[in-house]
Amino acid sequence: MGDGDVVGDALYVRFQGTRRSPRGHFPGIFALANGLARDGRLSEEQYRFWRAGNDWYDAHYTNPSHVDPTVYDRDLNPGAVAWFKTSAVRLIERVDGYVELLAAHDVDCERLESTDPGRIIYEDDEQVVVVPWQGDSPHDTVRQPDDPEETRPA
C-alpha cells in the first residue's frame, strides 16, 4: 500500500515514539512528554507549556480510564493505545507543541494514520482505544515524518 492510499481517508491518527518502551509498546506523545517532566528534564518555560497543555487536555478531552478503569489493563487489553479520530481537529491541532517539546529533547516521534488500528475497546466522540492487531503496524497505516513542520494536522 502506498502512502497516498490512506492519507485523507484515515479515520484515526496517533502520535507516538519511535522506540519501544521496556514493556514493548511505542509510548504515545503525552506519555513521552510526561516522562520528560517526571524526570525533571524540562526548562521552566517547557514545564509551563507542558502543565498548561495537560491541563487543557484534561478539561477538554475524556480520559478513557475515568470511564472504564480496565481499558488499559495489561491482562484484559494487552497493548491498548489511544488514537484520535481525525474529526477531533481541535485536539490534534494542539499536539504540535508536544512534538516540538519532544524534538527539543531529541525524542523522536511519528504520526500514524489508519483506517483500522485495532480492535476497538473504548470509543467516544473524539477518540478510540484499541488493542492493536498482531504485528507491529495497524492495518492500513501510513507513517508520517517526525519533523514537526511535516506533522501538522490537515
Side-chain angles (χ1 to χ4, degrees), residues 97-116:
Y98 286 85
V99 171
E100 292 165 8
L101 175 73
L102 295 173
H105 290 273
D106 296 321
V107 177
D108 293 330
C109 64
E110 63 187 349
R111 175 185 169 132
L112 304 177
E113 296 178 350
S114 181
T115 57
D116 187 16

Side-chain angles (χ1 to χ4, degrees), residues 48-116:
R48 281 194 300 276
F49 162 81
W50 167 80
R51 183 70 269 149
N54 281 9
D55 290 346
W56 186 89
Y57 276 103
D58 287 345
H60 294 90
Y61 182 52
T62 302
N63 182 333
S65 296
H66 294 167
V67 177
D68 178 0
T70 68
V71 74
Y72 292 112
D73 182 287
R74 292 182 204 157
D75 294 324
L76 293 175
N77 300 310
V81 293
W83 289 68
F84 289 116
K85 291 182 176 179
T86 54
S87 59
V89 174
R90 70 188 181 108
L91 301 178
I92 296 168
E93 286 176 340
R94 297 180 76 98
V95 168
D96 287 348
Y98 286 85
V99 171
E100 292 165 8
L101 175 73
L102 295 173
H105 290 273
D106 296 321
V107 177
D108 293 330
C109 64
E110 63 187 349
R111 175 185 169 132
L112 304 177
E113 296 178 350
S114 181
T115 57
D116 187 16

